[in-house]
């Protein structure tokens, strides 16, 4: 027997306490999962909550946090090049300006999560698994993504039957550090449940519908898509040069661009030089500035 000064604890008692704690944690997780399922079922066509008030979103993150700690969660819906609607968020007003408002202006088009969503990738992914080879040195990363001060972002990718996709992102700030290997494994194991819940909650909604009817009864208008080719044609760039611009801004190197477009790295570099000459710029920063200016002019 070991004396603690207040209570006497035996090894057997310690083991029993750990067992009861594990049982209690499992019971809590089961209860939270039941609440998430109920919240997904209880969505009403007559009542719409704000993205920060959705009972399902809160129930889902409570269940996930019972397994893995994280700082923030945000869910967007994606359909083509249309501006993605916010489905759920946990940010305060200042954080929401960076993570949501600025993102929706146009940077979403350069987001690896956006590209994975429109390619209808399914399941759990880490940002580092999806990011282009020069993503962390790109002007998009320096000018926008670095403002998020995240240590890591991971996501659940949920293709819907109606052609849209939902992405639920979990974020850890620099002070919290990246997700550990065991935590990532656990999140991958939880992914099938998360995807099923998200389809139950959002599968019948018109992801990306414009203002007007928001009841989810199928009467909303289709989302307004951006013609990405025309964006760059307006600046006298060829279709191929527009493709190269998109890839440069996303964070692809010349070698990566060459592989994706089935051209040589030398040809990719020639395209880049021609683009810079036509736009009268000499850096990726100037290219990103053109992109931001164009996005801000879009309705």
């Amino acid at each position: 027997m070991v004396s603690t000064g207040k209570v006497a604890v035996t090894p057997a008692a310690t083991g029993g306490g750990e067992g009861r704690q594990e049982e209690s944690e499992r019971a809590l997780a089961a209860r939270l999962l039941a609440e998430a399922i109920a919240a997904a079922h209880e969505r009403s066509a007559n009542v719409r909550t704000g993205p920060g008030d959705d009972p399902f979103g809160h129930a889902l993150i409570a269940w996930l946090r019972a397994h893995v700690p994280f700082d923030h969660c945000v869910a967007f819906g994606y359909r083509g090049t249309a501006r993605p609607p916010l489905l759920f968020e946990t940010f305060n007003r200042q954080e929401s300006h960076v993570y949501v408002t600025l993102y929706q202006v146009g940077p979403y088009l350069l987001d690896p999560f956006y590209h994975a969503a429109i390619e209808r990738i399914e399941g759990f992914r880490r940002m580092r698994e999806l990011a282009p080879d020069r993503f962390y040195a790109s002007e998009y990363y320096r000018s926008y993504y670095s403002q998020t001060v995240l240590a890591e972002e991971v996501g659940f990718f949920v293709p819907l039957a109606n052609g849209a996709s939902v992405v639920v992102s979990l974020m850890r700030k620099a002070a919290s550090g990246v997700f550990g290997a065991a935590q990532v494994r656990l999140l991958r194991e939880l992914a099938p449940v998360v995807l099923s819940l998200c389809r139950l909650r959002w599968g019948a909604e018109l992801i990306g519908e414009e203002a007007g009817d928001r009841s989810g009864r199928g009467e909303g208008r289709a989302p307004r898509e951006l013609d990405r080719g025309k964006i760059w044609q307006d600046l006298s760039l060829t279709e191929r040069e527009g493709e190269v611009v998109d890839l440069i801004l996303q964070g692809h190197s010349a070698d990566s661009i060459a592989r994706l477009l089935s051209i040589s790295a030398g040809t990719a570099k020639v395209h880049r030089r021609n683009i810079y000459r036509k736009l009268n710029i000499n850096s990726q920063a100037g290219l990103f500035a053109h992109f931001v200016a164009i996005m801000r002019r879009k309705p």
Side-chain angles (χ1 to χ4, degrees), residues 275-287:
I275 291 163
Y276 284 12
R277 176 180 53 78
K278 288 182 178 181
L279 299 182
N280 194 29
I281 58 176
N282 56 19
S283 68
Q284 192 181 130
L287 190 60

Side-chain angles (χ1 to χ4, degrees), residues 171-275:
M171 302 171 172
R172 294 189 67 169
K173 294 184 177 181
S176 300
V178 300
F179 291 91
Q183 294 172 331
V184 170
R185 284 196 299 272
L186 181 53
L187 290 171
R188 290 192 197 280
E189 292 171 3
L190 297 177
V193 178
V194 175
L195 268 61
S196 295
L197 289 172
C198 289
R199 288 190 175 112
L200 187 61
R201 170 63 181 88
W202 289 302
E205 293 210 6
L206 298 177
I207 300 296
E209 64 181 286
E210 292 187 39
D213 176 67
R214 300 286 293 178
S215 67
R217 293 189 290 268
E219 301 169 14
R221 288 177 290 167
R224 178 180 298 156
E225 297 230 8
L226 295 171
D227 186 340
R228 298 180 69 167
K230 191 172 187 305
I231 288 174
W232 301 116
Q233 286 176 12
D234 290 345
L235 295 175
S236 300
L237 300 184
T238 67
E239 181 178 350
R240 177 46 60 90
E241 288 170 344
E243 293 173 339
V244 172
V245 166
D246 282 342
L247 293 172
I248 291 173
L249 289 172
Q250 290 168 37
H252 288 275
S253 66
D255 288 338
S256 180
I257 293 171
R259 287 193 300 273
L260 291 170
L261 298 183
S262 299
I263 59 178
S264 70
T267 300
K269 292 176 181 177
V270 169
H271 281 308
R272 184 175 61 192
R273 285 197 298 269
N274 290 338
I275 291 163

Side-chain angles (χ1 to χ4, degrees), residues 44-151:
S44 170
N46 299 317
V47 178
R48 289 191 64 89
T49 57
D53 303 320
D54 188 339
F56 168 71
H58 287 292
L60 177 65
I61 65 171
W63 175 65
L64 288 170
R65 279 183 170 142
H67 297 86
V68 173
F70 53 90
D71 294 310
H72 280 301
C73 174
V74 64
F76 285 102
Y78 296 97
R79 184 189 293 275
T81 60
R83 182 172 298 183
L86 174 66
L87 304 177
F88 180 75
E89 65 172 330
T90 60
F91 308 118
N92 61 36
R93 182 174 298 181
Q94 181 178 359
E95 292 167 333
S96 186
H97 177 71
V98 173
Y99 289 92
V100 178
T101 306
L102 292 182
Y103 178 77
Q104 290 176 314
V105 169
Y108 70 89
L109 291 167
L110 308 178
D111 182 10
F113 277 19
Y114 158 76
H115 287 277
I118 63 172
E119 290 166 11
R120 303 193 58 81
I121 284 177
E122 182 174 3
F124 174 85
R125 298 289 192 280
R126 306 176 84 171
M127 176 65 80
R128 66 182 65 178
E129 297 170 351
L130 299 173
D133 58 348
R134 295 287 293 167
F135 175 74
Y136 295 100
S138 68
E139 190 61 31
Y140 164 73
Y141 181 84
R142 289 194 296 266
S143 297
Y144 170 72
Y145 198 85
S146 62
Q147 296 182 59
T148 64
V149 294
L150 294 178

